[in-house]
Amino acid sequence: MLFNTLHYAAFFAAAFLGSWALARWFGVFPRLVFLLVMSYAFYAAWDWRYLPLIFASSTVDFLLARAIAREERPRARRAMLIATVALNLGFLGFFKYWNFAIENVAALRGLLTGEPVSVDHAFRVLLPPVGISFFTFESMSYVIDVYRRELPPHRSYLRYLLFVAFFPHLVAGPIVRPRDLLPQFERAPSLTREQGGEALFLIAVGLVKKVVLSDQLALNLVDRVFERPENYSALEVLCGVYGYAAQIYCDFSGYTDIAIGSALLLGVRFPKNFDAPYKAQNLADFWRRWHISLSTWLRDYLYIPLGGNRGSELATYRNLMITMVLGGLWHGASWNFVFWGFLHGLGLAVTRAFQRRGGRGRAAAGAATPLPLRALCVLLTFHYVCFAWIFFRVPTFSQAVLILRQIGTLTTFHPNLPPVLVALLAAALLSHYVPERLYERAKSAFIATPAPLQGALLFLVAIGLHEAASAAAVPFVYFQF
C-alpha cells in the first residue's frame, strides 16, 4: 500500500528524482512517460486488477472526444456524448452502487413478501476501485467540454492518459479540469526556489492537519462518541459532532495540501480546493468554500444543464435538490449520504429564498449586514452543517437518532474531554478565523528562509509528527469515495 505516509514519501522521492533527471537529460516526453508509469504503479499498488479499468476508461473517452470533434451532425455528436456519459456512469454505477442496489432490491422483496431475504455473496462485486469517483468525473468533463466546443480535442494520447492518472490527485482529488492540467503537460516543467518552498510548506501544513489534528480527534473523541453515544454526556456527544466537523475538514484539506504541494514539486499547479468553509455566512457560501473542485463540477455539469436558475423559482429549487441529492449519492452508496445531500439541497433552497427576499430589502435600504448578524449567520450555518455531518458519519439512521437523543439530554459532565483534546478541537476550528494575510505571511516567510533553515524547520516538524502519530494508521476519509 502506497497510501502509508512513509511509503508515499519513498515513492514520491523516486518520482521526483526520476522525473526531473529525465526532463534535464532527455527532455519532456520521457519525463511524461515516466510519470505515467509511476502513476499506474501507484494505482496498481492498491489493487492491480483495477488498472485496466482506468486505462480503458481513459482510452475510450480520448477516442470518443476526437470523434465528437470531427463530427458535424448534431444527432451523431449527441449520440457519442450519451455513449461516453453512459460508459462512465456505468462503470461508476456498477462498481460503486451495485451492492447497494441489490441490497435494496432484496429489502423491498422482503417487505413485499413478508419473508427475510438475504443477498447471495455471489451477486456482490468487489470493493469499488479507489478514486473512481474522481477520475470518472475528470475524464467525463473532458468529453463534455469537447462536445460543447469549449475545448479542442487533445492531440496527445499519452498526455491525456497522464491527465487522468496523475498520482497526486488520482485518489481523492482535487477534481482537476482538463483545461487547467493538460496545457501544463505541453510545456517544459519548471521548479523555482519559491515554488519549492511553497510546496514544502503546503505538505508540512497538510501533514500537521492530518496527523496532529484530524487523527487525534478521530481516535480520542469522534470514533468513540459515534460508536457508543449512550456512554457519553450531551456535552461530550456535541463535542464529538464538532470534532467530526473538524476531523473531516483537517483530513480532507490536509490531503489536498499534500496533493497540491506534491504536484507543485513536479512542476504542476493544482487549483485551490478549500477556503475556510466554517466561516461561511450561509450554505451557498459554504459550498463556495468546501471541496471547491466538486461544487464547481456539480454546478457546471449538472446544475446548469438541468436548467440552473433560468426557469421558475420552483424549477430552480428542484434543480438544487437534484444536484445536491446526487452529490450526496456521489459520496457513497448509502441512504445516509442521500439524506445528507437532501439536507444540503434543502438548506440551499431556503438560503436562496431568504437571499431573494432579504436582498431586495437591503437594496432598498442601502444598508450592509451588521457584524452581529453576520456572526449569527456564521454560527447558524456551522451548526446546520454539523447537523448534516451526523448523517454523513453514521452507518444507520438509528445511530443518528441515538446521537441526537443523547444531545437532547442536556447533560454536561465531561470526564472524556481532557484539556489537550479541547485545545486540539479549538485549534482545528479557530484556524478558520485566522486572517488570510497571516497565513500568507507565514508561507512567504518560510519561502524566503534559506534552504538549510528550511530543512531544520521541516526536521522539527517531522519529529513533532512522529511524536503525535498514533500507533493505528488512520486512512484519509475521502479515500472511501
Side-chain angles (χ1 to χ4, degrees), residues 199-221:
L200 293 173
F201 180 84
L202 287 171
I203 292 172
V205 169
L207 287 171
V208 169
K209 285 181 182 178
K210 168 63 178 168
V211 176
V212 178
L213 297 176
S214 176
D215 288 1
Q216 295 303 317
L217 287 172
L219 292 170
N220 297 302
L221 177 63

Side-chain angles (χ1 to χ4, degrees), residues 177-456:
R177 300 290 181 91
R179 66 171 67 94
D180 295 327
L181 188 52
L182 282 169
Q184 297 190 62
F185 292 146
E186 291 284 348
R187 54 182 179 259
S190 65
L191 180 62
T192 64
R193 182 185 180 282
E194 290 73 22
Q195 290 171 331
E198 180 184 358
L200 293 173
F201 180 84
L202 287 171
I203 292 172
V205 169
L207 287 171
V208 169
K209 285 181 182 178
K210 168 63 178 168
V211 176
V212 178
L213 297 176
S214 176
D215 288 1
Q216 295 303 317
L217 287 172
L219 292 170
N220 297 302
L221 177 63
V222 177
D223 292 350
R224 298 177 183 181
V225 166
F226 275 84
E227 183 179 357
R228 300 295 297 272
E230 66 275 13
N231 292 347
Y232 299 88
S233 70
L235 178 60
E236 290 171 338
V237 173
L238 184 61
C239 285
V241 174
Y242 292 157
Y244 183 65
Q247 177 205 344
I248 195 170
Y249 166 73
C250 291
D251 185 284
F252 194 20
S253 69
Y255 171 87
T256 300
D257 288 341
I258 295 168
I260 294 173
S262 298
L264 195 55
L265 285 175
L266 295 172
V268 175
R269 184 173 289 277
F270 287 165
K272 187 176 182 179
N273 206 29
F274 287 90
D275 184 16
Y278 294 144
K279 69 177 183 182
Q281 296 184 40
N282 55 62
L283 215 55
D285 188 23
F286 173 81
W287 279 102
R288 285 190 288 267
R289 296 169 176 272
W290 174 271
H291 201 349
I292 299 168
S293 62
L294 174 64
S295 60
T296 54
W297 197 100
L298 292 172
R299 179 198 65 198
D300 294 344
Y301 298 103
L302 184 56
Y303 176 69
I304 291 175
L306 284 171
N309 57 5
R310 298 189 299 273
S312 64
E313 279 300 297
L314 186 61
T316 299
Y317 297 143
R318 176 203 64 198
N319 298 336
L320 280 172
M321 292 300 299
I322 292 173
T323 299
M324 295 312 300
V325 166
L326 291 178
L329 189 61
W330 175 87
H331 282 83
S334 165
W335 289 112
N336 295 64
F337 290 118
V338 173
F339 187 65
W340 174 80
F342 169 82
L343 288 174
H344 275 274
L346 180 64
L348 286 169
V350 171
T351 298
R352 177 178 172 82
F354 270 97
Q355 284 179 333
R356 288 180 64 82
R357 181 174 298 179
R360 287 192 292 265
R362 284 196 302 272
T369 306
L371 178 60
L373 181 57
R374 293 202 304 271
L376 178 62
C377 289
V378 170
L379 191 65
L380 292 175
T381 301
F382 173 71
H383 280 86
Y384 186 83
V385 169
C386 286
F387 171 69
W389 279 139
I390 295 173
F391 296 91
F392 192 93
R393 173 62 174 76
V394 296
T396 63
F397 284 103
S398 59
Q399 190 77 357
V401 171
L402 188 59
I403 287 170
L404 293 171
R405 282 180 178 171
Q406 196 65 17
I407 293 174
T409 63
L410 302 180
T411 50
T412 58
F413 63 91
H414 51 277
N416 298 292
L417 293 176
V420 65
L421 197 58
V422 174
L424 285 174
L425 178 58
L429 294 176
L430 294 177
S431 64
H432 281 67
Y433 305 98
V434 174
E436 181 71 15
R437 64 180 182 275
L438 294 183
Y439 173 82
E440 292 297 329
R441 284 178 185 174
K443 183 169 68 174
S444 299
F446 180 83
I447 293 171
T449 300
L453 186 53
Q454 282 185 354

